[in-house]
């Protein structure tokens, strides 16, 4: 039976114990109480979330003494997210190997079915609390010099889609795209994420159907914003209502000008080269997503600053990008600084690629909506744990966090964790291994490649298999399907 120090000495993926939780609970509480600054990052790094959240409850679910308690199941689930494409059977075998290595429960085995049932017993509400605490812990350790200009926090917003197994329950909540035939597509969930520009951590997120507009999901995140924040987004979030409502709350926006709104730089007050201060008027008609009372409270006019930037790179067509922002003070916020800030909006595309491609969130694997939501939470927790590790290495070795490779950090953690786990009985040796691992994170930095082209295209050609155009039980497989070619359309001359 593992009680008391369950969260500090988890029998599975034990490297997270010393890495994230440091010393024992009592000594950690004493050190936190005596802490006067955030310099000792290693001492406070462990309290990314309250460990008692995973302890057995007095009654209800997870109150019984089980072979797979909530703490073991949670870290096993996280390790599965950190090892994309790993099956439940593989995770169970890893747990059994560690238990038998440590002579723990050697007489008993765990089946993949038992592990899946243990995952179902995890509370979604608890996972949401843990995700929020981890995100907050990473974001609060951002240094002052990592904030933008006057120390204001910049948050990036965007949305993406994730797929999942084609089950009736999933289809009922997150339907497949409307252009696909029934039985030929997969349910798609839209996820809107709010990231910190400084730390790269995913601070908040909301989900919805694929048909839900990005700006509609963004409105659900407004209560999570605080006065003084700066929102960085693409043209999908450029609207009078959103910019005016956020400005009223003391939140500024820097977005790309929407393609339907014309920008004539001959009008307005000139603030500099390609920099104009104009006044937008309130639309006459109330949008469908706004209530009449909310729309009536919007101001009749909104001062907006338009900044034009020209992107020129060798071998590429010159592009002109127009930026709209409510940062109207040109002395405090120079136009060149805003241009450089908007260029960092691409970071959120990299963050989503790290979550979806590197961690495998692009295609979820659980069969029920309840487990889909838990799987999503676990992946986001795993992402922020990696961000915390990268942040710690960057601060200790004075390296910019964005120069540390996410994939390289993930690979390093997976292999070094085993050695760190094996040295758990030797604190000095374990500390030395952790320090060496952090050194390896900053030794292989991402090259600085300005103007690098990264087209969203695949070089490797897919196999020429026919497409599933009918439900699986009605589909007729064509002979020699590996040489399948789509039939040519008939013409009037044929």
């Amino acid at each position: 039976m593992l009680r008391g120090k369950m969260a500090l000495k988890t029998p599975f993926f034990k490297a997270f114990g010393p890495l994230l939780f440091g010393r024992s609970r009592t000594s950690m509480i004493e050190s936190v109480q005596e802490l006067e600054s955030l310099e000792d990052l290693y001492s406070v790094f462990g309290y990314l979330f309250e460990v008692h959240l995973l302890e057995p409850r007095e009654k209800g679910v997870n109150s019984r003494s089980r072979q797979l308690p909530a703490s073991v199941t949670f870290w096993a689930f996280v390790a599965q997210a950190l090892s994309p494409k790993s099956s439940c059977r593989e995770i169970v075998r890893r747990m059994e190997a560690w238990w038998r290595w440590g002579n723990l429960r050697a007489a008993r085995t765990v089946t993949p079915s038992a592990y899946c049932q243990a995952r179902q017993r995890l509370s979604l509400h608890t996972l949401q609390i843990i995700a929020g605490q981890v995100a907050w812990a990473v974001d609060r350790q951002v240094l002052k010099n990592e904030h933008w200009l006057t120390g204001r926090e910049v948050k990036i917003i965007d949305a993406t889609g994730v797929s999942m197994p084609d089950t009736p329950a999933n289809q009922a909540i997150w339907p497949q795209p409307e252009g696909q035939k029934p039985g030929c597509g997969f349910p798609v969930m839209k996820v809107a994420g709010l990231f910190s520009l400084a730390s790269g951590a995913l601070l908040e997120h909301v989900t919805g159907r694929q048909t839900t507009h990005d700006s509609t999901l963004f409105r659900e995140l407004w209560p999570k914003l605080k006065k003084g924040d700066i929102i960085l987004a693409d043209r999908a979030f450029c609207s009078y209502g959103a910019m005016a409502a956020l400005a009223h709350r003391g939140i500024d926006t820097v977005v790309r000008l929407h393609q339907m709104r014309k920008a004539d730089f001959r009008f307005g007050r000139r603030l500099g080269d390609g920099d104009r201060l104009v006044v937008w008027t309130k639309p006459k008609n109330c949008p469908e997503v706004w209530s009449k009372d909310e729309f009536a409270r919007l101001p009749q006019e909104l001062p907006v600053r338009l900044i034009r930037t020209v992107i020129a790179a060798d071998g590429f067509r010159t592009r002109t990008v127009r930026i709209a922002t409510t940062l109207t003070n040109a002395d405090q916020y120079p136009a060149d600084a805003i241009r450089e800030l908007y260029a960092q909006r691409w970071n959120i595309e990299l963050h989503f690629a790290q979550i979806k491609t590197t961690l495998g969130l692009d295609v979820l694997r659980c069969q029920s909506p309840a487990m889909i939501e838990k799987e999503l939470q676990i992946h986001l927790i795993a992402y922020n744990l990696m961000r915390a590790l990268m942040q710690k290495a960057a601060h200790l070795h004075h390296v910019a966090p964005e120069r540390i490779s996410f994939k390289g950090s993930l690979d390093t953690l997976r292999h070094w964790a085993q050695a760190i786990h094996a040295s758990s009985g030797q604190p000095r040796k374990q500390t030395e291994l952790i320090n060496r691992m952090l050194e390896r994170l900053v030794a292989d930095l991402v090259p600085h490649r300005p103007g690098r082209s990264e087209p969203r295209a695949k070089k490797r050609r897919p196999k020429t298999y026919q497409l599933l155009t009918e439900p699986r039980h009605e589909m007729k497989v064509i002979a020699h399907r590996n040489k399948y070619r789509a039939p040519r359309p008939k013409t009037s001359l044929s």
Side-chain angles (χ1 to χ4, degrees), residues 420-492:
I420 295 173
H421 176 102
S423 62
S424 58
Q426 302 173 302
R428 293 184 179 179
K429 182 65 175 180
Q430 193 174 64
T431 302
E432 180 183 358
L433 288 174
I434 294 175
N435 292 334
R436 293 294 179 269
M437 181 184 65
L438 297 178
E439 290 179 2
R440 294 309 306 163
L441 297 186
V442 300
D444 187 16
L445 300 180
V446 176
H448 182 61
R449 295 173 283 198
R452 174 180 172 85
S453 174
E454 297 180 0
R456 293 183 176 180
K458 293 183 178 180
K459 182 178 180 180
R460 191 174 300 277
R461 272 54 176 173
K463 301 296 183 180
T464 57
Y465 295 141
Q466 64 186 103
L467 300 179
L468 186 68
T469 57
E470 300 290 343
R472 188 177 301 275
H473 62 281
E474 300 177 3
M475 185 67 181
K476 295 182 179 179
V477 179
I478 301 176
H480 307 290
R481 60 183 181 274
N482 59 329
K483 298 181 181 179
Y484 169 77
R485 295 291 185 276
R488 295 182 178 179
K490 296 182 178 180
T491 62
S492 58

Side-chain angles (χ1 to χ4, degrees), residues 77 116 119-120 366-376:
F77 209 168
C116 293
R119 296 197 310 178
Q120 295 177 3
C366 292
Q367 302 294 317
S368 64
M371 287 305 300
I372 284 291
E373 294 182 356
K374 294 179 184 180
E375 187 179 3
L376 174 65

Side-chain angles (χ1 to χ4, degrees), residues 12-13 79 83 89-99:
F12 176 76
F13 218 73
S83 301
R89 178 176 54 189
E90 178 183 353
I91 296 299
V92 167
R93 296 297 179 265
R94 290 176 60 180
M95 283 192 290
E96 289 180 348
W98 279 118
W99 287 346

Side-chain angles (χ1 to χ4, degrees), residues 110-243:
V110 179
T111 63
S113 176
Y115 169 60
C116 293
Q117 295 177 28
R119 296 197 310 178
Q120 295 177 3
R121 290 193 297 269
L122 289 176
S123 170
L124 177 61
H125 180 64
T126 299
L127 295 181
Q128 292 172 342
I129 295 176
I130 293 175
Q133 292 183 0
V134 172
W136 178 81
V138 178
D139 192 55
R140 72 167 183 156
Q141 294 184 29
V142 174
L143 304 179
K144 291 184 178 180
N145 58 357
E146 294 177 339
H147 290 301
W148 186 66
L149 283 186
T150 57
R152 298 184 62 177
E153 296 184 25
V154 179
K155 298 176 180 178
I156 323 176
I157 179 67
D158 204 356
T160 187
V162 296
S163 179
M164 64 192 70
D166 186 14
T167 63
N170 291 339
Q171 286 277 14
I173 299 180
W174 304 288
Q176 67 185 41
E178 297 178 353
Q180 295 178 337
K181 296 181 180 180
C184 300
F186 293 91
V188 177
M189 172 198 295
K190 177 172 285 189
V191 181
L194 187 68
F195 290 81
S196 169
L197 178 64
S199 65
L202 177 63
L203 304 178
E204 300 288 347
H205 79 280
V206 292
T207 61
R209 296 190 173 190
Q210 188 196 26
T211 54
T212 307
H213 196 272
D214 298 359
S215 59
T216 303
L217 293 177
F218 179 44
R219 290 191 62 187
E220 299 183 27
L221 294 174
W222 287 4
K224 306 296 183 179
L225 302 175
K226 62 179 182 295
K227 185 177 181 180
D229 287 343
I230 297 178
I231 299 300
L232 184 61
D234 60 10
R235 65 179 65 181
F237 301 89
C238 178
S239 67
Y240 181 93
M243 298 178 67

